[in-house]
Amino acid sequence: MKFSCGTRFAFLVLFLIAAQSVAVYAGSFHKDVQIHWGDGRGKVRDRDGKLLSLSLDKSSGSGFQSNQEFLYGKAEVQMKLVAGNSAGTVTTFYLKAPGTMWDEIDFEFLGNISGHPYTLHTNVYTQGSGDKEQQFHLWFDPTKNFHTYCITWNPQRIIFTVDGIPIREFKNSESIGVPFPKNQPMRLYASLWEAEHWATRGGLEKTDWSKAPFTAFYRNYNVEGCVWANGKSSCPANSPWFTQTLDQRGIDKMKWAQSKYMVYNYCTDTKRFPKGVPKVCT
């Protein structure tokens, strides 16, 4: 079959439009977020808005937040954490709603003394109540290179992944009376702050301020979600994350991560819950 120049051009236009409709949007720190605290300690490092740093010293930490709110979405970023002695520091990437009965989905990285591993702390808050912590030691040094951390939040589940490997799934269990975050739009936040009273070995290891400023790096920020505006949300058409589940391969990867690298699971903490673990665990 032969095509004229005009026909070939029309096909090219249609192809480009189709490609754009399925492409993953690459975010920019310049236009998608604002550094909302830190008095200059948070900085976008390049003209294209792909790299951002947050710093902490004895006076203050720093943080940024998304310009938009989302009711469901997929949020991911690559991070390189504070190197060396990071005891007492907390580096975060999380979703949170405002108010006193807020919803929240957390990645928090708890620093440690040199030569000891970070603890990746995950939690889900619904209506102001958390107490659903799972913690991990990672299978790599998160200070040497950038690694990808992702939260997928849809009506049926929340999936936490590290470099594409699921480490945790929090399912919608409203059918047995467990609240699930589904009504409150959330912003994406990231921060670097000091919590030496609890972050490292329950507060036994304090922050060594002679090592300040502490700096963490974020790059390739991307959020695809149902944008909340004027009291309603608007979802991208045919977004795979909106119905994403874990197939058997994903379940097997999650079991591998949890069996080898999980260091705390609220579902097995009978001392903390002497009357029985939360219903979502059963």
Side-chain angles (χ1 to χ4, degrees):
M1 182 180 294
K2 294 183 178 180
F3 297 101
S4 67
C5 290
T7 303
R8 286 198 297 269
F9 178 76
F11 271 107
L12 177 61
V13 171
L14 289 171
F15 172 78
L16 291 174
I17 292 173
Q20 288 178 342
S21 69
V22 298
V24 175
Y25 170 69
S28 165
F29 287 119
H30 282 308
K31 60 187 180 66
D32 294 331
V33 309
Q34 56 176 310
I35 298 171
H36 66 299
W37 69 284
D39 193 23
R41 292 173 179 81
K43 299 176 182 178
V44 179
R45 295 285 187 146
D46 64 328
R47 186 175 62 182
D48 295 330
K50 301 300 183 186
L51 179 65
L52 181 149
S53 65
L54 297 178
S55 291
L56 162 71
D57 58 36
K58 203 165 186 177
S59 297
S60 178
S62 52
F64 68 82
Q65 66 178 32
S66 63
N67 291 328
Q68 294 177 314
E69 292 180 295
F70 304 91
L71 186 61
Y72 304 124
K74 179 179 180 180
E76 69 178 14
V77 75
Q78 294 181 323
M79 298 171 61
K80 185 163 68 170
L81 303 183
V82 175
N85 186 348
S86 58
T89 69
V90 181
T91 310
T92 71
F93 181 68
Y94 63 102
L95 290 157
K96 187 177 185 294
T100 58
M101 297 291 288
W102 75 98
D103 293 343
E104 183 174 342
I105 305 169
D106 289 340
F107 270 130
E108 294 185 327
F109 300 84
L110 312 183
N112 213 332
I113 58 175
S114 298
H116 292 262
Y118 267 83
T119 297
L120 170 52
H121 176 99
T122 67
N123 203 356
V124 176
Y125 285 77
T126 49
Q127 301 170 27
S129 176
D131 299 333
K132 295 180 280 291
E133 302 92 342
Q134 290 183 354
Q135 296 181 339
F136 301 81
H137 287 164
L138 297 165
W139 49 94
F140 52 83
D141 183 344
T143 72
K144 296 295 186 185
N145 296 295
F146 284 93
H147 293 270
T148 303
Y149 304 94
C150 179
I151 297 169
T152 300
W153 168 39
N154 65 39
Q156 296 304 317
R157 56 189 39 80
I158 298 163
I159 302 171
F160 299 78
T161 61
V162 176
D163 287 342
I165 296 175
I167 63 168
R168 179 176 185 179
E169 179 184 33
F170 183 82
K171 292 182 178 179
N172 185 333
S173 299
E174 290 182 302
S175 60
I176 60 171
V178 178
F180 185 83
K182 67 174 188 177
N183 296 318
Q184 299 188 56
M186 300 195 232
R187 290 189 194 275
L188 193 287
Y189 294 88
S191 59
L192 174 57
W193 51 288
E194 174 271 321
E196 67 175 11
H197 60 288
W198 66 269
T200 307
R201 295 183 60 212
L204 294 178
E205 301 290 350
K206 302 300 184 182
T207 304
D208 182 355
W209 292 110
S210 71
K211 301 294 193 294
F214 304 99
T215 303
F217 296 90
Y218 297 75
R219 76 178 186 189
N220 295 336
Y221 167 90
N222 182 66
V223 181
E224 182 183 359
C226 302
V227 176
W228 182 265
N230 301 317
K232 60 182 181 180
S233 64
S234 176
C235 298
N238 303 317
S239 297
W241 58 263
F242 194 80
T243 55
Q244 183 175 340
T245 62
L246 290 182
D247 58 16
Q248 189 57 51
R249 185 180 179 191
I251 292 171
D252 290 344
K253 288 182 177 180
M254 183 172 67
K255 287 181 177 178
W256 169 83
Q258 292 183 350
S259 66
K260 288 185 174 292
Y261 299 102
M262 182 184 284
V263 296
Y264 177 80
N265 183 0
Y266 75 109
C267 285
T268 60
D269 193 343
T270 55
K271 290 184 178 179
R272 181 180 176 190
F273 302 106
K275 297 182 179 179
V277 297
K279 283 193 289 184
V280 69
C281 300
T282 58

